Amino acid sequence: GENVEQHPSTLSVQEGDSAVIKCTYSDSASNYFPWYKQELGKRPQLIIDIRSNVGEKKDQRIAVTLNKTAKHFSLHITETQPEDSAVYFCAASKGGSYIPTFGRGTSLIVHP
Amino acid sequence: DTGVSQNPRHKITKRGQNVTFRCDPISEHNRLYWYRQTLGQGPEFLTYFQNEAQLEKSRLLSDRFSAERPKGSFSTLEIQRTEQGDSAMYLCASSPAPSTDTQYFGPGTRLTVL
């Protein structure tokens, strides 16, 4: 089955800095890669996603890049703000059942 | 609130008791997924429904676990003879798949087994 590795497990940055979280996946058939943000005690919320026919996608301060050959994808957050502090999960899935395999999460801490 | 809802939000039970959780998906979402999340981990897939049909179950779903979605709307997840290892957050998500594979999560039910 699919295996998703996520790094780092914890990331501490100063407000205004950029943050990058990286994930690798094992199943070359995976074609959908969502990123979720989960604040303490809250539900996971989709913040951005990318499909295998696209190499990069941006939404304001958030961007995701995908390298299919290397089977890795990354989340980039620019101009970080304290409210970006949360746990971020990457996931990989393929068409049909769309059952995602999640990474173990990255705890992002943005210091004011 | 038209999002996914789950009840109860918290459940404390004694080992050996049975518990049942409910999930109400976003209206007209035909897919419904159950996940389990433990501290420091991402959600782990348990099972999913396409309308009322249960299409796939994870090996994590032991025979003590059963899920239903009788009319293709809300779903229930029952755990029989609970064990301390069942303590976790149980998340439900719904999706309008196959039109899109985006999943929308509920707030979860936190189960504590004493």
Side-chain angles (χ1 to χ4, degrees), chain B residues 77-91:
Chain B
L77 178 68
E78 181 183 17
I79 308 174
Q80 297 183 325
R81 306 182 302 281
T82 53
E83 301 172 356
Q84 288 187 325
D86 297 332
S87 296
M89 175 73 84
Y90 290 85
L91 292 164

Side-chain angles (χ1 to χ4, degrees), chain B residues 7 30-31 46 49-50 53 58 64 67 74 77 81 97 101 107:
Chain B
N7 287 287
N30 50 21
R31 290 205 179 179
L46 293 177
F49 293 84
Q50 171 84 27
S58 164
R64 296 185 297 106
F74 73 91
L77 178 68
R81 306 182 302 281
D101 32 22

Side-chain angles (χ1 to χ4, degrees), chain A residues 81-107:
Chain A
Q81 302 167 3
E83 51 266 39
D84 293 330
S85 296
V87 178
Y88 292 80
F89 293 100
C90 64
S93 69
K94 48 192 175 186
S97 63
Y98 304 116
I99 299 172
T101 299
F102 285 84
R104 296 186 64 172
T106 295
S107 177

